[in-house]
Amino acid sequence: MTTYDIERYLNIRSAYGGSFAPDGERLAFLMNTTGTAQVWTVDGPGEWPVQRTFYDDRVTFVDYSPEREELAFGKDQGGDERAQLYTLNTETGEITNRTRRAGAKHRWGGWDSDGERFAFASNRRDHEVFDIYVQDRDGTGDDAELVHEGEGWLSLSGWSPEDDRLIVHEAHSSFDHDVHVLDVTDGGISHVTPHDGRARFSSVEWGPDGNSLYLVTDHNSDTLQLERLDLSTGGFTVVEDGGEWNVDGVSIDEESRRVAYSRNVDGYTALTVGELVDADRIDPNESPSFPEGVIGGVSWGPDGERYATTVTASSDNANVHVADARTGESARWTNAATAGIPRDTFVEPQLVHVPSFDGREVPGFFSVPEDAEGEVPVIVDIHGGPESQRRPSFSTVKQYFLNNGYAVFEPNVRGSSGYGKEYASLDDVRNRMDSVKDLKAGVEWLQEHPVADA
């Protein structure tokens, strides 16, 4: 088997964050071919992409206007995380800094339906909190209108169908959120998710009628569920409970009433695309034909007939795929380079469940070199936190070690997210060392494994 040096692996690239042009015939996306993520566009699968931005600094997102050959993107400077918002005319190439507040952070909140205005959250007034602003598409700097003074960590989830309200998301911690509805005409704001204790409310979308919100929440369950919030009554209805797994995201195309929602099934994404045939009922279409791995960031085409999403797997670097909403047929529209390393050399992991000290089974991923003969050394790779989860997405460093004869074990010890609130809290405070006991159990399991060098 051919081995490759670390520089080759570190030059494997990613393409992600696709956004359709108004006619649905072009896709904008981010790709780090130059070493930092920049804006590119492509006209179809197999077509040659066009690079649109050329900065030393990374671009953080891209979002096509719903009506014009114009897109918005964000960029910070030197990794300072104080992103400014820009627009790019894809016909002339002209780029304009729309925010012009280098000392402040700006969080994109989306275009309105005709692309004449956009919204954002920013800490330009007070660096400790985020306010909400609305700005005309040709405005700059102080042209932004302050429509709400915030008191916390605010971000936006999009305009209502009538362009008169915004969803305001407030994060208190990783596992405690709130949602507000802001009227941009008079500045009135309503808190729509009062709750006791900690609860997550995320991936919030407007319902097609503008009178309800769809979101994923665990306010009344151990795992995240897809629920509908009726804004007139404040009542919640479960639309999809996800079984024992988290529903970790939802996306709705308001005009076509098409819906995509994803479940995190032991780390792997199970994506369902269907029709919102009733306020609380989704009829699923054919399952999309994506590689088995992690899928995220659905962007609908202008008629809702197809959508773009980012797909990555342990053996497949991140790329943007486009799928038919009805048939599930898909094609990869981007071709992020693998630095000349053949894709078929990348290794898939085994999903394993290791019994721990108290009988609980700890999930994890065990990857073995393709041509392993006898016992091989094993790297135990533990994810960070405060709450996180190792998932089967592409890792250049892991593939380098596998190519050079090491196995890799990636446990999701108690305290990891992705398995419900109870599991995530099992290592809190005095139970912190229980997660270390899970690691001990994992090492003991490896020592008995026929592939591992004890």
Short mmCIF file of all heavy atoms in Angstrom, two decimals, residues 135-169:
data_model
loop_
_atom_site.label_atom_id
_atom_site.label_comp_id
_atom_site.label_asym_id
_atom_site.label_seq_id
_atom_site.Cartn_x
_atom_site.Cartn_y
_atom_site.Cartn_z
N GLN A 135 -31.27 46.47 7.51
CA GLN A 135 -30.55 47.39 6.63
C GLN A 135 -30.99 47.19 5.18
O GLN A 135 -31.21 46.06 4.74
CB GLN A 135 -29.03 47.13 6.75
CG GLN A 135 -28.16 48.10 5.96
CD GLN A 135 -26.70 47.97 6.37
OE1 GLN A 135 -26.37 47.79 7.54
NE2 GLN A 135 -25.81 48.07 5.39
N ASP A 136 -31.15 48.28 4.44
CA ASP A 136 -31.42 48.18 3.01
C ASP A 136 -30.22 47.57 2.30
O ASP A 136 -29.07 47.77 2.72
CB ASP A 136 -31.70 49.56 2.42
CG ASP A 136 -33.03 50.14 2.89
OD1 ASP A 136 -33.87 49.35 3.36
OD2 ASP A 136 -33.20 51.37 2.81
N ARG A 137 -30.48 46.86 1.22
CA ARG A 137 -29.42 46.12 0.53
C ARG A 137 -28.31 47.02 0.01
O ARG A 137 -27.17 46.59 -0.13
CB ARG A 137 -29.99 45.32 -0.63
CG ARG A 137 -30.75 46.14 -1.67
CD ARG A 137 -31.15 45.30 -2.87
NE ARG A 137 -30.01 45.01 -3.71
CZ ARG A 137 -29.61 45.79 -4.73
NH1 ARG A 137 -30.26 46.94 -4.98
NH2 ARG A 137 -28.58 45.46 -5.47
N ASP A 138 -28.61 48.30 -0.29
CA ASP A 138 -27.58 49.21 -0.79
C ASP A 138 -27.06 50.15 0.30
O ASP A 138 -26.30 51.07 0.02
CB ASP A 138 -28.10 50.02 -1.98
CG ASP A 138 -29.38 50.79 -1.66
OD1 ASP A 138 -29.88 50.66 -0.51
OD2 ASP A 138 -29.86 51.52 -2.54
N GLY A 139 -27.46 49.92 1.55
CA GLY A 139 -26.96 50.75 2.66
C GLY A 139 -25.59 50.28 3.13
O GLY A 139 -25.15 49.17 2.84
N THR A 140 -24.93 51.16 3.89
CA THR A 140 -23.63 50.83 4.47
C THR A 140 -23.52 51.44 5.87
O THR A 140 -24.16 52.45 6.17
CB THR A 140 -22.45 51.36 3.62
OG1 THR A 140 -22.58 52.78 3.50
CG2 THR A 140 -22.41 50.71 2.24
N GLY A 141 -22.71 50.80 6.71
CA GLY A 141 -22.35 51.38 7.99
C GLY A 141 -23.54 51.78 8.85
O GLY A 141 -24.37 50.97 9.24
N ASP A 142 -23.63 53.09 9.12
CA ASP A 142 -24.66 53.61 10.02
C ASP A 142 -26.05 53.65 9.39
O ASP A 142 -27.02 54.08 10.04
CB ASP A 142 -24.29 55.02 10.49
CG ASP A 142 -23.08 55.01 11.42
OD1 ASP A 142 -22.83 53.96 12.03
OD2 ASP A 142 -22.39 56.05 11.51
N ASP A 143 -26.18 53.22 8.13
CA ASP A 143 -27.51 53.14 7.51
C ASP A 143 -28.37 52.06 8.14
O ASP A 143 -29.60 52.04 7.96
CB ASP A 143 -27.39 52.86 6.01
CG ASP A 143 -26.75 54.01 5.25
OD1 ASP A 143 -26.80 55.15 5.76
OD2 ASP A 143 -26.19 53.78 4.17
N ALA A 144 -27.75 51.13 8.86
CA ALA A 144 -28.51 50.07 9.52
C ALA A 144 -29.44 50.64 10.57
O ALA A 144 -29.06 51.53 11.35
CB ALA A 144 -27.57 49.05 10.14
N GLU A 145 -30.66 50.12 10.64
CA GLU A 145 -31.65 50.57 11.62
C GLU A 145 -31.65 49.62 12.81
O GLU A 145 -31.86 48.41 12.65
CB GLU A 145 -33.04 50.61 11.01
CG GLU A 145 -34.13 51.02 11.99
CD GLU A 145 -35.53 50.88 11.42
OE1 GLU A 145 -35.66 50.46 10.25
OE2 GLU A 145 -36.50 51.17 12.17
N LEU A 146 -31.42 50.17 13.99
CA LEU A 146 -31.50 49.38 15.22
C LEU A 146 -32.98 49.15 15.54
O LEU A 146 -33.71 50.09 15.83
CB LEU A 146 -30.81 50.12 16.36
CG LEU A 146 -30.93 49.51 17.76
CD1 LEU A 146 -30.28 48.14 17.82
CD2 LEU A 146 -30.31 50.44 18.80
N VAL A 147 -33.41 47.88 15.48
CA VAL A 147 -34.83 47.59 15.72
C VAL A 147 -35.08 46.94 17.07
O VAL A 147 -36.22 46.85 17.52
CB VAL A 147 -35.41 46.70 14.60
CG1 VAL A 147 -35.46 47.47 13.29
CG2 VAL A 147 -34.63 45.39 14.46
N HIS A 148 -34.01 46.47 17.73
CA HIS A 148 -34.18 45.90 19.07
C HIS A 148 -32.86 45.93 19.83
O HIS A 148 -31.83 45.48 19.32
CB HIS A 148 -34.68 44.46 18.99
CG HIS A 148 -34.72 43.77 20.33
ND1 HIS A 148 -35.59 44.13 21.32
CD2 HIS A 148 -33.97 42.76 20.84
CE1 HIS A 148 -35.40 43.36 22.38
NE2 HIS A 148 -34.41 42.53 22.12
N GLU A 149 -32.88 46.48 21.03
CA GLU A 149 -31.72 46.45 21.91
C GLU A 149 -31.77 45.18 22.75
O GLU A 149 -32.71 44.98 23.52
CB GLU A 149 -31.67 47.69 22.82
CG GLU A 149 -31.35 48.97 22.07
CD GLU A 149 -31.06 50.13 23.02
OE1 GLU A 149 -31.05 49.91 24.26
OE2 GLU A 149 -30.83 51.25 22.54
N GLY A 150 -30.77 44.36 22.60
CA GLY A 150 -30.75 43.08 23.29
C GLY A 150 -30.08 43.16 24.66
O GLY A 150 -29.42 44.15 24.99
N GLU A 151 -30.24 42.07 25.40
CA GLU A 151 -29.61 41.97 26.71
C GLU A 151 -28.80 40.68 26.85
O GLU A 151 -28.37 40.33 27.93
CB GLU A 151 -30.68 42.01 27.81
CG GLU A 151 -31.45 43.31 27.85
CD GLU A 151 -32.52 43.31 28.95
OE1 GLU A 151 -32.74 42.24 29.55
OE2 GLU A 151 -33.12 44.37 29.19
N GLY A 152 -28.61 39.95 25.74
CA GLY A 152 -27.92 38.68 25.83
C GLY A 152 -27.29 38.27 24.52
O GLY A 152 -26.96 39.10 23.67
N TRP A 153 -27.15 36.96 24.35
CA TRP A 153 -26.43 36.34 23.22
C TRP A 153 -27.47 36.03 22.14
O TRP A 153 -28.02 34.93 22.10
CB TRP A 153 -25.73 35.08 23.72
CG TRP A 153 -24.61 34.60 22.88
CD1 TRP A 153 -24.63 33.51 22.06
CD2 TRP A 153 -23.30 35.15 22.77
NE1 TRP A 153 -23.41 33.35 21.45
CE2 TRP A 153 -22.57 34.33 21.87
CE3 TRP A 153 -22.66 36.25 23.34
CZ2 TRP A 153 -21.23 34.60 21.53
CZ3 TRP A 153 -21.35 36.50 23.01
CH2 TRP A 153 -20.65 35.69 22.11
N LEU A 154 -27.74 36.98 21.26
CA LEU A 154 -28.82 36.87 20.28
C LEU A 154 -28.29 36.53 18.90
O LEU A 154 -27.21 36.96 18.50
CB LEU A 154 -29.62 38.17 20.20
CG LEU A 154 -30.21 38.71 21.50
CD1 LEU A 154 -31.04 39.96 21.20
CD2 LEU A 154 -31.04 37.66 22.21
N SER A 155 -29.10 35.77 18.16
CA SER A 155 -28.88 35.54 16.74
C SER A 155 -30.24 35.47 16.07
O SER A 155 -31.28 35.49 16.74
CB SER A 155 -28.08 34.25 16.51
OG SER A 155 -28.74 33.14 17.09
N LEU A 156 -30.25 35.39 14.73
CA LEU A 156 -31.51 35.44 13.98
C LEU A 156 -31.71 34.16 13.18
O LEU A 156 -30.76 33.54 12.73
CB LEU A 156 -31.51 36.64 13.04
CG LEU A 156 -31.57 38.01 13.73
CD1 LEU A 156 -31.29 39.13 12.73
CD2 LEU A 156 -32.92 38.22 14.39
N SER A 157 -33.00 33.81 12.99
CA SER A 157 -33.35 32.60 12.24
C SER A 157 -34.27 32.88 11.06
O SER A 157 -34.93 31.97 10.57
CB SER A 157 -34.00 31.57 13.17
OG SER A 157 -33.08 31.10 14.13
N GLY A 158 -34.36 34.13 10.62
CA GLY A 158 -35.08 34.38 9.39
C GLY A 158 -36.34 35.22 9.50
O GLY A 158 -36.92 35.39 10.57
N TRP A 159 -36.75 35.74 8.33
CA TRP A 159 -37.92 36.61 8.20
C TRP A 159 -39.20 35.80 8.10
O TRP A 159 -39.21 34.70 7.54
CB TRP A 159 -37.79 37.47 6.95
CG TRP A 159 -36.66 38.44 6.94
CD1 TRP A 159 -35.34 38.17 6.69
CD2 TRP A 159 -36.74 39.85 7.15
NE1 TRP A 159 -34.60 39.33 6.75
CE2 TRP A 159 -35.43 40.38 7.03
CE3 TRP A 159 -37.79 40.73 7.44
CZ2 TRP A 159 -35.14 41.74 7.17
CZ3 TRP A 159 -37.51 42.08 7.59
CH2 TRP A 159 -36.20 42.57 7.45
N SER A 160 -40.29 36.38 8.56
CA SER A 160 -41.61 35.77 8.39
C SER A 160 -42.01 35.85 6.92
O SER A 160 -41.46 36.64 6.15
CB SER A 160 -42.64 36.50 9.25
OG SER A 160 -42.82 37.83 8.80
N PRO A 161 -42.99 35.03 6.48
CA PRO A 161 -43.44 35.08 5.09
C PRO A 161 -43.89 36.47 4.66
O PRO A 161 -43.78 36.83 3.48
CB PRO A 161 -44.60 34.08 5.06
CG PRO A 161 -44.29 33.11 6.15
CD PRO A 161 -43.64 33.93 7.23
N GLU A 162 -44.41 37.29 5.60
CA GLU A 162 -44.87 38.64 5.26
C GLU A 162 -43.77 39.70 5.41
O GLU A 162 -44.02 40.89 5.19
CB GLU A 162 -46.05 39.03 6.16
CG GLU A 162 -47.23 38.09 6.10
CD GLU A 162 -47.08 36.89 7.03
OE1 GLU A 162 -46.10 36.87 7.83
OE2 GLU A 162 -47.90 35.96 6.94
N ASP A 163 -42.56 39.27 5.79
CA ASP A 163 -41.41 40.18 5.96
C ASP A 163 -41.64 41.24 7.04
O ASP A 163 -41.03 42.31 7.00
CB ASP A 163 -41.06 40.89 4.64
CG ASP A 163 -40.49 39.94 3.60
OD1 ASP A 163 -39.87 38.94 4.00
OD2 ASP A 163 -40.68 40.20 2.40
N ASP A 164 -42.52 40.94 8.00
CA ASP A 164 -42.78 41.93 9.05
C ASP A 164 -42.22 41.52 10.40
O ASP A 164 -42.22 42.31 11.34
CB ASP A 164 -44.28 42.20 9.17
CG ASP A 164 -45.08 40.95 9.53
OD1 ASP A 164 -44.53 39.83 9.42
OD2 ASP A 164 -46.26 41.09 9.90
N ARG A 165 -41.74 40.27 10.53
CA ARG A 165 -41.24 39.77 11.81
C ARG A 165 -39.96 38.97 11.61
O ARG A 165 -39.72 38.45 10.51
CB ARG A 165 -42.30 38.90 12.49
CG ARG A 165 -43.52 39.65 12.99
CD ARG A 165 -44.67 38.69 13.26
NE ARG A 165 -45.14 38.09 12.01
CZ ARG A 165 -45.83 36.94 11.95
NH1 ARG A 165 -46.12 36.29 13.06
NH2 ARG A 165 -46.22 36.49 10.79
N LEU A 166 -39.19 38.88 12.67
CA LEU A 166 -37.96 38.09 12.67
C LEU A 166 -37.98 37.13 13.85
O LEU A 166 -38.49 37.46 14.92
CB LEU A 166 -36.74 39.00 12.80
CG LEU A 166 -36.37 39.87 11.60
CD1 LEU A 166 -35.39 40.97 12.04
CD2 LEU A 166 -35.74 39.02 10.49
N ILE A 167 -37.40 35.95 13.64
CA ILE A 167 -37.17 35.01 14.75
C ILE A 167 -35.86 35.39 15.42
O ILE A 167 -34.81 35.47 14.77
CB ILE A 167 -37.09 33.56 14.25
CG1 ILE A 167 -38.40 33.14 13.58
CG2 ILE A 167 -36.73 32.62 15.40
CD1 ILE A 167 -38.30 31.82 12.83
N VAL A 168 -35.91 35.62 16.72
CA VAL A 168 -34.72 35.96 17.50
C VAL A 168 -34.41 34.79 18.43
O VAL A 168 -35.26 34.39 19.24
CB VAL A 168 -34.92 37.25 18.32
CG1 VAL A 168 -33.67 37.56 19.13
CG2 VAL A 168 -35.25 38.42 17.39
N HIS A 169 -33.22 34.24 18.30
CA HIS A 169 -32.80 33.11 19.13
C HIS A 169 -31.84 33.62 20.20
O HIS A 169 -30.92 34.38 19.92
CB HIS A 169 -32.10 32.05 18.27
CG HIS A 169 -31.74 30.81 19.02
ND1 HIS A 169 -30.51 30.65 19.63
CD2 HIS A 169 -32.44 29.68 19.27
CE1 HIS A 169 -30.47 29.46 20.22
NE2 HIS A 169 -31.62 28.84 20.02
#
